[in-house]
Amino acid sequence: MHPRKKHVLLILLLLLSSKAEELDPVSTTIAVGMAVGAAGVTGFLSTSIFYYFKESCRPVWISFNSTRLKTDLDNMLFGQHIASRIILKAVNGFMSNTNPKKPLVLSFQGWTGTGKNLASQFIAESIYSKGMKSRHVHLFTSTFHFPHKHMINTYKSQLQQWVRGNVTNCERSLFIFDEMDKMHPGLIDSIKQYLEYYDNLDGVSYGKSIFIFLSNAGGQDITNTAVEFWKAGKGQTEITLKDLEKTLSLSVFNDQNGGFFHTSLIEKNLVDFFVPFLPLKEIHVVRCAMAEMKARNLRPNREVANKVARDMIYFPKDERVFSSTGCKTVKHKLNFYI
């Protein structure tokens, strides 16, 4: 390469480093334009520069970081030894497969505040440079996106278009469906064909996408199992997936008010893993409070964290073993003590 072009490329690399964030968009655009013009570099290079600044479906924006996922699950998903193990193995295996036969489909089950949304966030952040803010991560909330039962046929058509259009744009897309227990039965079946074992449908391949369903359905069964283990004098970490998996799929399938009610996704075994999220104990709530203080750039204070945890409602009532709301209200209660 000509020395002059090497010099210009060095300037471009510096601009594309973290220091470039300190420049305003206009200055950055002008600087890059001048550098490219000075070097006489066009075509491939100018296109590459464009993709460095504008998110695209390219490795510079989408690159799986297994170490980050493991670290986040180990350090910030509290009390969820089963979920952490399943998620890490499932996502690792899927992302390392260069030609998966079907999308990865995960269903996160458990009461509110146990970490389902947090785990989804960790998956997004381990794959996409912009995490949950990536244009390739799509979050649907049942009560917001699909509120009216009489419009279910319209929603079915829209959902098919949204999924097909976004996967066409980027095969490494992530779809998260929150509040599945509040979704109108039958709606989610509209995308069944996209989750099956097809090389492509009308020229679109869905095999490299990930679908995650979040639901409170099955939460009572999970809690009952945790209480039974506690009454038997067993530790919560002794609970295994086998103790919950069959009960979970059946309770979700038979939940008449939920989006999985008699769904073909379960009948056809298209959900790869039903991931149980266990109820949290007081020690887990303390850890949540400590993590929240650290996230706010505050010095973690164990005494404050203990006060927040003691303020929670627990069950069984007399023994105060499990938090009724998990870590959901920790942020607001922390404001009071800080």
Side-chain angles (χ1 to χ4, degrees), residues 1 17 75 80 167 269 299:
M1 182 181 291
S17 70
N75 297 337
Q80 304 301 346
V167 176
N269 296 310
R299 187 173 183 177

Side-chain angles (χ1 to χ4, degrees), residues 10-214:
L10 178 60
I11 295 174
L12 292 175
L13 289 173
L14 290 173
L15 283 170
L16 296 174
S17 70
S18 60
K19 292 295 183 182
E21 296 179 359
E22 299 174 4
L23 298 176
D24 64 89
V26 175
S27 298
T28 303
T29 302
I30 293 173
V32 171
M34 291 176 63
V36 172
V41 182
T42 57
F44 172 77
L45 181 57
S46 58
T47 301
S48 298
I49 294 169
F50 172 80
Y51 283 119
Y52 264 99
F53 284 100
K54 183 177 176 58
E55 186 186 17
S56 63
C57 190
R58 292 183 174 225
V60 68
W61 293 100
I62 303 175
S63 181
F64 178 55
N65 187 333
S66 175
T67 301
R68 174 169 183 172
L69 179 58
K70 184 179 188 308
T71 300
D72 286 345
L73 292 172
D74 288 346
N75 297 337
M76 290 186 284
L77 189 65
F78 307 122
Q80 304 301 346
H81 66 285
I82 300 175
S84 293
R85 184 173 67 252
I86 297 173
I87 291 169
L88 185 62
K89 287 187 175 181
V91 178
N92 266 343
F94 180 75
M95 294 301 295
S96 63
N97 187 348
T98 57
N99 187 30
K101 300 302 180 184
K102 69 178 289 293
L104 176 63
V105 183
L106 304 174
S107 182
F108 294 173
Q109 316 293 145
W111 286 138
T112 183
T114 52
K116 301 187 297 295
N117 282 286
L118 191 62
S120 302
Q121 175 186 323
F122 292 157
I123 293 173
E125 291 175 345
S126 72
I127 299 174
Y128 305 93
S129 295
K130 299 185 74 171
M132 290 295 294
K133 295 181 179 179
S134 171
R135 62 187 296 190
H136 308 303
V137 176
H138 313 282
L139 174 62
F140 300 95
T141 303
S142 294
T143 52
F144 179 77
H145 291 97
F146 318 111
H148 306 297
K149 188 175 182 178
H150 68 276
M151 292 183 62
I152 188 169
N153 288 329
T154 299
Y155 295 150
K156 286 182 178 180
S157 177
Q158 290 176 340
L159 188 54
Q160 289 176 343
Q161 292 175 25
W162 287 335
V163 172
R164 183 169 58 246
N166 283 297
V167 176
T168 300
N169 182 52
C170 183
E171 60 184 1
R172 283 291 187 193
S173 292
L174 170 60
F175 299 91
I176 302 171
F177 294 85
D178 198 4
E179 299 183 341
M180 279 298 297
D181 50 303
K182 296 180 179 66
M183 180 180 283
H184 304 301
L187 174 56
I188 202 63
D189 280 347
S190 64
I191 63 169
K192 177 184 73 73
Q193 65 271 29
Y194 304 144
L195 309 185
E196 296 205 52
Y197 294 83
Y198 293 124
D199 287 336
N200 68 74
L201 290 170
D202 293 331
V204 181
S205 176
Y206 298 85
K208 292 185 179 180
S209 296
I210 299 177
F211 293 79
I212 303 176
F213 302 107
L214 313 182

